[in-house]
Structures are given as structure tokens and as C-alpha cells.
Amino acid sequence: MEPTGNAGTAADALRKQHVIDPEICIRCNTCEETCPVDSVTHDDNNYVVDADKCNFCLDCISPCPTGAIDNWRVVNAAYSLDDQFGWSELPAQPEVRAGAPDEAADDEAGRLIAEAHRGAGGRSIAPASAAEPRINLYNRQRPAIATVTGTFRLTAPDADNDVRHVILDFGDTAFPVLEGQSIGIVAPGADGSGAPHRVRLYSVASPRDGEKPNANNLALTVKREPNGVCSNYICDLKKGDRVQVTGPFGATFLMPNDPSANILMICTGTGSAPFRAFTERRRRVMRDAPGRMMLFFGARRPEELPYFGPLQKVPEGLLRKHFAYSRVPGQPKVYVQDLMRQKADEVGILLRHPQTHVYLCGLRGMENGVDDALAAIYGNGGAEWAALRAHMRADGRYHLETY
Ligand code: A2P
């Protein structure tokens, strides 16, 4: 798209404007739900940001599953809501001037544009050593077609949760993913009002070289949700079924390639999917990595914990495992954050190490509890942990993916 007229006049002040990439956005409504000042809104076409309301708090950045929200333009005159509703792709950065037409003004414009291109002020960035992800190769209009080559129940037959491991093969279609990325699944059919079902995102549970090494396939960990259209569709898939896939998505929740990076992983339920991918990656290509991997995994009971059996076989030297069970009869309820406090010595050593990366994936409800536990473990007051967390975020070493 050509730059539009939003360059304004040379005398206008420059302003940074928060915009949403309509090509990547999957219309999941997360940004609109998250925005504390109601600056995000939508019509049938696009999700958009009201420049007069947005206060750059950045609360919407990390929950966005695709990164569509992390886009910025430096403008003289802000794009209106109607401008944005009409976009089918983001406009290019327009030519702008910072007031007087001199060199300093051009420098200021250049600085702002460079800052805008870096994304949300360093709040959500990939680990420095992560491989370059490919994103948004396939969309609703042009999905990749995968074939189901396996589907297995991961929880015990009598478990409350039906969690499945589903393997999708892409045949001759290129579908490159990195550990930590997600894909979109399109359930066929339409909802009660005749609209096609929304794309749903699922974390990839296998490493970049495939569920089976060097196969063009990947695995998902999917829990059947009551009334969940897409989760029921996936959990009911049979071998040989063909599935429409979009993505890949996600450019920040990625695994460091650096073998000396320590990886602290905290999850509940199907939030374990990316961590299975991380662990398999290390096991396959960096078995003797000096960096340590530690997992805190919460589930109702062992029978409900996805990959319980296979996880027992992963050596402690490769992955230090801590399981927190909340509903074992006769035993007190334990959440991941409780167990982290119990293992404060081990966690503290990792937190103090400059090459440690923290990843949190699973129920949004655990965010505060885990944050409080990390604050208690790292220092007596929350301030020390808040400072370290900000530093780790800016360094691409602190990552949240909760829902
Ligand atoms: P609970 O027994 O209280 O539901 P699920 O099986 O529903 O997917 O949940 C996975 C695990 O996450 C369960 O053990 C569940 O405990 C636990 N959980 C629920 N809420 C929180 C929370 N706020 N913080 C940490 N863990 C939680």
C-alpha cells in the first residue's frame, strides 16, 4: 500500500500511533478485552485503535497471540477509525516531518520511526539467540491443508479432562515452525448466525524438525472444552482427516538457541505444549547443553497431567521436573506457585543467573500467583523482582502466554 495523506504538513507535531495489522489479526478480541481505556474497537472487517484514547500502556501487547497488535506508525495526523476500518493491510510508514525542515527535525522523525519499528518499547521481544520465525504464511483465504496422522488421548480414561495429542502432516506443503509458535485451526461450518467459525490458536507441541525427526509434521495438545466448537472438532478428528491450518503465529515466545541458556518453564494443563517442544529440541540437538531446564507443571492429579508417562522418562539431568497437583484425594491443594515457593532455592539460583529465560504458559489465573511467588523468591520486597522482570523482558528473557 502506498503511504497515505497522513504525513500532514511540515508544521504539524509528530505523534506515534498504535495500529493493528489486519493481515495478521485473527479477530480473537483479546486486545479489546484487555485495553483498560477502551481504545480498541472493531467492525465486521477490522480491529482498530482509537488514537485519541490509546495511552500506550501496552497492556494489550503480550496477550495478543499473533503479534498483530504490536505495530506503530509515526504520523503528523492520526489515522481515523474509519481509515483503519477500511484497511486490508497496514499502510507503509508515511513520510513525516518534525516541524521545521532542518536536519535535527529529520533526525527526530527518524528516531521515532525507528522506535516504532522496534515494537512496543521492548516489552515483548524474542530471545536474542532465537531463530528467525516465519509467520502468517497461510490464512483463512489460503490455508495450508494438513492430514491427521495420529490422535491419542493423553489423560487417563477416567480423567475429567479429555486432552489429546494430535499429529498433523503437511505432505508437500512447506509449514515451518519454531518451538513456542502457534498455528490456527479452522473448524468447518458456520455458527448460529451463519458466520464462519473463528480461527482458534494452538501451541505447537513438537520441535522444529517435526514430531518425528525430519518429518513435515507437527503435534498439538488440545483439551476438549465443553461447547468448544474447535476443540471438539480437533478432539474428534480421525486418522486421514484433512484440516485447514493458518499461521504459523508468534514471534516472541520462542526458545533460545543458545545451549548455555537456562530455561525455567511454568505451566498448567495444555500450557505444557510449547515446553514439550522446547524439551524435545534440547534432547535432540543439545543433549549435553550446559544450560539447565526446569519445569513446574500444574494439574488436578497425575491422571490429568498431559504427557505424564513420557515425562517420567525424561532424565532429570535434561529436565528438572516439579509437578503440582490440586485435586489428589486426601492431599492439600498445591498450585505451581506453591511448589515454586517450596523449591525457592533452586528457582532462586536460576533467577539470579544472567542467562535464565522464564516462560509461563497456561491459565491466566496463575499469572498473579506465580508473579508473587517469584517476587518472594527473588527478594523480600516486590520491587527487586519488578526491576529484574523489566530487565528480563527488555532482554527477551521473560515470556507469558496465558488464556
Ligand atoms: P484446580 O483444581 O483448582 O482447578 P485444568 O485441569 O482445569 O486445566 O487446570 C490445570 C491446573 O491448574 C489445575 O490443577 C487447576 O487447579 C490449576 N489452577 C487453577 N487455577 C489456578 C491458579 N489461579 N493458579 C495456579 N493454578 C491454578
Side-chain angles (χ1 to χ4, degrees):
M1 188 183 286
E2 287 302 307
T4 68
N6 284 52
T9 66
D12 291 333
L14 283 182
R15 67 192 281 195
K16 187 168 152 187
Q17 183 174 4
H18 190 183
V19 291
I20 298 175
D21 186 338
E23 285 193 284
I24 300 181
C25 173
I26 56 161
R27 282 83 177 154
C28 63
N29 205 51
T30 307
C31 50
E32 194 168 323
E33 280 167 25
T34 313
C35 179
V37 294
D38 294 330
S39 73
V40 180
T41 180
H42 70 277
D43 69 356
D44 287 346
N45 197 33
N46 283 339
Y47 274 74
V48 301
V49 184
D50 187 335
D52 292 331
K53 290 186 182 169
C54 175
N55 62 3
F56 300 101
C57 70
L58 307 181
D59 282 4
C60 57
I61 302 298
S62 68
C64 170
T66 65
I69 194 83
D70 196 4
N71 281 285
W72 313 85
R73 291 290 177 270
V74 178
V75 291
N76 287 120
Y79 292 104
S80 69
L81 293 181
D82 282 341
D83 286 341
Q84 299 175 62
F85 284 139
W87 290 346
S88 54
E89 61 188 90
L90 278 182
Q93 170 60 50
E95 293 286 326
V96 288
R97 300 302 294 262
D102 60 16
E103 223 171 85
D106 283 347
D107 283 354
E108 172 64 359
R111 188 189 65 73
L112 275 169
I113 291 167
E115 189 186 298
H117 282 160
R118 271 202 301 276
R123 284 275 300 256
S124 181
I125 61 174
S129 73
E132 193 62 37
R134 305 288 302 276
I135 55 168
N136 206 32
L137 298 178
Y138 300 91
N139 58 26
R140 262 200 111 95
Q141 287 69 42
R142 202 176 75 87
I145 306 297
T147 305
V148 178
T149 54
T151 165
F152 312 95
R153 185 169 162 125
L154 290 170
T155 43
D158 66 335
D160 306 336
N161 289 321
D162 177 8
V163 180
R164 300 203 143 250
H165 184 72
V166 179
I167 302 167
L168 300 177
D169 190 284
F170 288 87
D172 294 336
T173 304
F175 201 99
V177 291
L178 292 175
E179 301 80 18
Q181 284 195 292
S182 306
I183 64 168
I185 300 283
V186 188
D191 65 17
S193 64
H197 291 304
R198 289 237 167 98
V199 177
R200 291 287 174 215
L201 290 199
Y202 296 92
S203 286
V204 175
S206 47
R208 66 189 75 180
D209 59 335
E211 169 68 4
K212 191 169 140 207
N214 302 318
N216 190 20
N217 64 7
L218 57 76
L220 301 178
T221 314
V222 181
K223 175 175 155 182
R224 190 187 292 277
E225 300 286 354
N227 307 319
V229 172
C230 199
S231 70
N232 277 284
Y233 164 67
I234 298 173
C235 290
D236 288 339
L237 285 169
K238 302 275 175 291
K239 238 172 129 168
D241 285 348
R242 286 157 68 79
V243 181
Q244 294 185 45
V245 183
T246 66
F249 299 114
T252 59
F253 194 100
L254 299 173
M255 181 183 180
N257 274 341
D258 180 359
S260 52
N262 301 314
I263 306 181
L264 174 59
M265 300 168 282
I266 304 149
C267 66
T268 55
T270 54
S272 55
F275 303 149
R276 179 178 184 270
F278 288 12
T279 307
E280 273 302 288
R281 175 72 184 162
R282 274 262 165 111
R283 194 179 63 78
R284 283 187 198 171
V285 301
M286 289 177 260
R287 194 176 259 278
D288 300 319
R292 296 171 59 191
M293 295 184 88
M294 188 183 292
L295 174 70
F296 285 87
F297 192 161
R300 298 177 188 190
R301 49 197 183 100
E303 294 81 356
E304 305 272 355
L305 188 134
Y307 306 108
F308 181 79
L311 268 170
Q312 308 306 311
K313 300 202 181 86
V314 179
E316 285 285 306
L318 178 69
L319 177 69
R320 181 96 175 100
K321 301 176 282 285
H322 297 297
F323 299 118
Y325 298 121
S326 58
R327 302 193 200 180
V328 175
Q331 289 184 20
K333 189 187 255 299
V334 180
Y335 279 170
V336 280
Q337 54 267 38
D338 305 322
L339 199 51
M340 289 169 69
R341 286 172 192 264
Q342 287 172 27
K343 307 290 175 188
D345 289 352
E346 287 181 47
V347 176
I349 290 170
L350 284 192
L351 287 184
R352 285 180 180 80
H353 196 290
Q355 280 167 289
T356 294
H357 295 241
V358 176
Y359 295 84
L360 187 61
C361 189
L363 295 175
R364 181 161 298 159
M366 76 171 151
E367 266 184 38
N368 288 342
V370 168
D371 202 62
D372 290 347
L374 289 169
I377 292 166
Y378 189 63
N380 292 328
E384 289 162 45
W385 163 240
L388 176 66
R389 188 185 55 207
H391 176 68
M392 292 180 86
R393 270 199 173 122
D395 216 12
R397 295 191 294 118
Y398 188 81
H399 304 273
L400 296 185
E401 198 164 278
T402 56
Y403 33 83

